[in-house]
Amino acid sequence: MAERLLEVEDLQVSFATEDGVVRAVDGVTFTLDRGEVLAIVGESGSGKSVTSMTLMGLTRGPNARFAGSAKLKGKELLTASEEDLQHIRGAEIAMIFQDPISSLSPVHRIGDQIVEQIRAHDKKVSKGEAFDHAVELMERVGIPHARARARAFPHEFSGGMRQRAMIAMALSLSPSVLIADEPTTALDVTIQAQILAEVKTLKEHSDSGIIFVTHDLGVVADIADRVIVMYAGRVVEQGTLDEIFYDPQHPYTWGLLGSVTRMDRDPPKRLPSIPGLPPSLIRAPRGCHFRPRCPHEFERCAEVPPLEARVAEAPDHLDRCWLEVEDKRTRREIEGRIGLVRDAA
Amino acid sequence: MGRFIVRRTLSAAALLFATSVVVFGIFEVIPSYNPGRAIAGRNATPQTVAIVNKKFGFNQPFYRQYLNTMKLIFTGQIVDYQDQLNVVSEFKSRFPATLSLVIPAALIWLIAAIILGSVSALRAGRFADKALMVMAIVGVSIPVFLLGAVLLYLLAYKLTIFPNTGYVSLTSNPAQWAYYLILPWFSIALLSIGFYSRVLRSNLLDMVNEDFVRTAKAKGLSQQRVFRRHVLRNSLMPILTMFGLDFATLLGGAALVTETLFNIPGVGQYEATAIGNLDVPPILVGAMFTAFFVVLFGALIDVVYALLDPRVRLTG
């Protein structure tokens, strides 16, 4: 069995704001093993970025409150000292951010920014060695003429090349956990595909665990082993890629999957969408957070549904919906959005 | 680079021309302005005034007077009306005193503002920040002449810690030079410390939320390093622009209040006297002197900008 890297249990993150307390993450539980790709999916504001940034201690601040537990190889991250976190950041957990244009310092050379990362954790490495290593990394992620390009500034790079540089930086110390926070969202479609290919290569050639935060289900289908679906700060469903795509249990997941165009279907006249907007996390609805937008809502939904397995043959496929499994399958078919054709895979 | 220098030189020439015409023109329209009378003396007969007017060319048309004056300035022969001193050599001999006053004062305010602004930003919202920002407001609000006078009264007159005005040149006695100048330095610096530290603080606080600062943190850099190398480095640019202009105008004589108050024989003191006497040549030379420094430092700041921020390119 692969080594367990992350163990997150009942993670809660809230921020005090002028309007009230925002419960950005409300009871998130998951694990990450070596060599696996875990996708966290959800709309903007569902808490997926806050969850991943909390693992690195990047959401800490005077107004932030944390509860629950998040352990890296058994070591608690939520209560770790700022100094311990400094050693973990970049070396144990590294992150690739959404917008490569604003995520690199505009006034430092690309190579120097990677060198800075390497030397932050090992002062014994000379600048020259670190630079050579940076060039190697840049070559590895497919930046041509890496040695010359390492002396360039971020504004002399295209968006895709900058994201490659970000990946090179994140990989520089071979972290056990790599968090990619919507790494392709800000890029052109063709560049997206290249960057995804890069992440896939990474998955095959390194034994890091990868957390891939995205709202793009096409990307998820492409690279994830397991999927967490988040809605309004809570995990509404989690399971393997096949479980989520071919036997989704939560009406929100149906909605997400239904809003994607599929190559194996006739194109719909109008791309379906989930009506309504996600709730405010300051005054979230009682019970199931998805209730106000859910067409299948009934009395019991005012109680918070537990995150538990409802499909007997898949004990790790968890969801938060009160509907009976058979009932769900019928309703899902009627909604007509999800195909159950397993052979299509 | 060559193109940059040529364009800046041309714009400097244009600015100097415009400044001189405007300053010279102002005196044409001041109603009570009568230089012939001022030179001839209060009790002079109309005949004497007429002779003076003819000798100095005050009865010639505006453009002639202007050209004559420019010719005198650029040949270094211009004299002031009051004491018939050569204005150019007066500026030359007074400039070291102004440099002695302005350069250390500028260093003091720049360094103090960077330190205080950083402390404020790092402790944002806490007591140290609030206290510093109140002090900064006070510093900005106190007029230089009042601050200088209060410092003189308390520290020089009452407590006799510092000398009561005066100036000793750096070359004759460095220790005395600094001793005499400490109060003037601080009375100039205090206002700018307040202003600059507030501007820097808000730049820093904006910068802290930038994505690349988050990246720097995520790399595992120490807080200190994140602050120095990423936050501070990117926040200093706007301060620099302000600094270039403030420094240039002070060199050109904008420290005239301090120089007068502390009796420092710099160009500002000379200009202050000239303004009091409506003595055109020193005022005109002073204005052109200032304009020259403004252009020079404007160009220098642009060069520094381009060195600090690779995205900036030098254009005329």
Side-chain angles (χ1 to χ4, degrees), chain B:
Chain B
M1 191 68 195
R3 196 181 149 86
F4 173 76
I5 292 171
V6 170
R7 293 183 69 155
R8 283 310 169 95
T9 312
L10 288 178
S11 75
L15 183 69
L16 285 183
F17 174 69
T19 310
S20 59
V21 170
V22 169
V23 173
F24 203 79
I26 287 173
F27 290 92
E28 279 298 304
V29 295
I30 293 180
S32 64
Y33 178 65
N34 190 343
R37 168 135 229 124
I39 293 169
R42 199 172 288 273
N43 301 321
T45 59
Q47 285 82 356
T48 324
V49 174
I51 293 168
V52 169
N53 276 344
K54 191 165 169 49
K55 184 175 174 241
F56 283 87
F58 294 138
N59 46 5
Q60 289 180 343
F62 174 76
Y63 77 95
R64 274 239 150 263
Q65 287 192 46
Y66 173 79
L67 289 178
N68 279 337
T69 312
M70 284 301 126
K71 194 176 143 202
L72 289 174
I73 288 177
F74 285 105
T75 51
Q77 290 169 323
I78 187 103
V79 291
D80 62 31
Y81 301 153
Q82 194 66 28
D83 302 310
Q84 307 290 307
L85 293 171
N86 184 301
V87 177
V88 175
S89 48
E90 197 67 15
F91 265 84
K92 264 190 204 152
S93 69
R94 284 169 171 272
F95 197 46
T98 296
L99 286 176
S100 302
L101 176 66
V102 172
I103 292 175
L107 289 177
I108 290 170
W109 95 56
L110 201 56
I111 293 167
I114 289 174
I115 293 171
L116 295 180
S118 303
V119 169
S120 236
L122 289 172
R123 299 258 175 288
R126 288 190 247 172
F127 178 75
D129 171 43
K130 287 175 182 157
L132 279 172
M133 285 305 110
V134 169
M135 275 158 56
I137 282 279
V138 173
V140 172
S141 320
I142 297 179
V144 182
F145 62 85
L146 180 67
L147 177 68
V150 169
L151 286 178
L152 267 180
Y153 179 74
L154 290 179
L155 300 177
Y157 179 69
K158 280 282 179 193
L159 297 173
T160 61
I161 302 171
F162 291 102
N164 201 345
T165 74
Y167 171 75
V168 175
S169 76
L170 177 66
T171 42
S172 66
N173 187 337
Q176 284 293 311
W177 169 80
Y179 184 48
Y180 272 86
L181 282 169
I182 286 177
L183 288 186
W185 288 339
F186 278 94
S187 46
I188 290 185
L190 205 72
L191 179 139
S192 299
I193 293 175
F195 194 51
Y196 280 53
S197 60
R198 286 189 71 93
V199 172
L200 181 63
R201 173 184 180 270
S202 71
N203 288 344
L204 288 170
L205 290 180
D206 288 344
M207 204 55 72
V208 166
N209 296 320
E210 289 285 332
D211 286 351
F212 66 81
V213 173
R214 187 181 58 189
T215 308
K217 264 189 230 162
K219 282 156 93 171
L221 304 183
S222 67
Q223 275 170 316
Q224 215 192 1
R225 198 174 161 88
V226 171
F227 184 78
R228 268 206 333 266
R229 229 177 102 95
H230 294 269
V231 182
L232 187 59
R233 168 77 194 272
N234 281 291
S235 305
L236 286 178
M237 315 270 183
I239 294 273
L240 265 178
T241 316
M242 286 164 52
F243 182 74
L245 285 180
D246 285 350
F247 189 66
T249 50
L250 281 177
L251 282 185
L256 53 91
V257 175
T258 315
E259 288 182 6
T260 307
L261 191 65
F262 287 90
N263 194 18
I264 296 163
V267 294
Q269 192 193 37
Y270 184 48
E271 286 168 25
T273 320
I275 291 168
N277 296 329
L278 289 184
D279 197 340
V280 177
I283 295 173
L284 189 58
V285 173
M288 293 171 72
F289 197 58
T290 306
F292 168 75
F293 281 119
V294 168
V295 177
L296 179 69
F297 280 90
L300 282 179
I301 291 297
D302 283 351
V303 172
V304 174
Y305 238 95
L307 291 175
L308 284 180
D309 189 338
R311 289 166 299 181
V312 175
R313 267 169 209 273
L314 286 180
T315 47

Side-chain angles (χ1 to χ4, degrees), chain A residues 51-74:
Chain A
T51 303
S52 52
M53 291 211 285
T54 301
L55 298 177
M56 292 188 86
L58 291 177
T59 46
R60 289 185 176 193
N63 299 321
R65 295 280 172 280
F66 304 94
S69 144
K71 288 190 178 123
L72 172 76
K73 297 179 187 168

Side-chain angles (χ1 to χ4, degrees), chain A residues 25 101 127 139 141 198 206 208 322:
Chain A
V25 176
I101 288 155
K127 275 193 183 150
E139 270 166 4
V141 297
E198 217 53 69
S206 82
S208 307
W322 286 123

Side-chain angles (χ1 to χ4, degrees), chain A residues 14-26 45 232-233 278-286 289:
Chain A
S14 52
F15 301 102
T17 67
E18 282 177 11
D19 302 323
V21 176
V22 176
R23 304 186 59 121
V25 176
D26 187 4
S280 146
L281 293 177
I282 296 175
R283 273 171 290 278
R286 204 158 51 87
H289 281 174

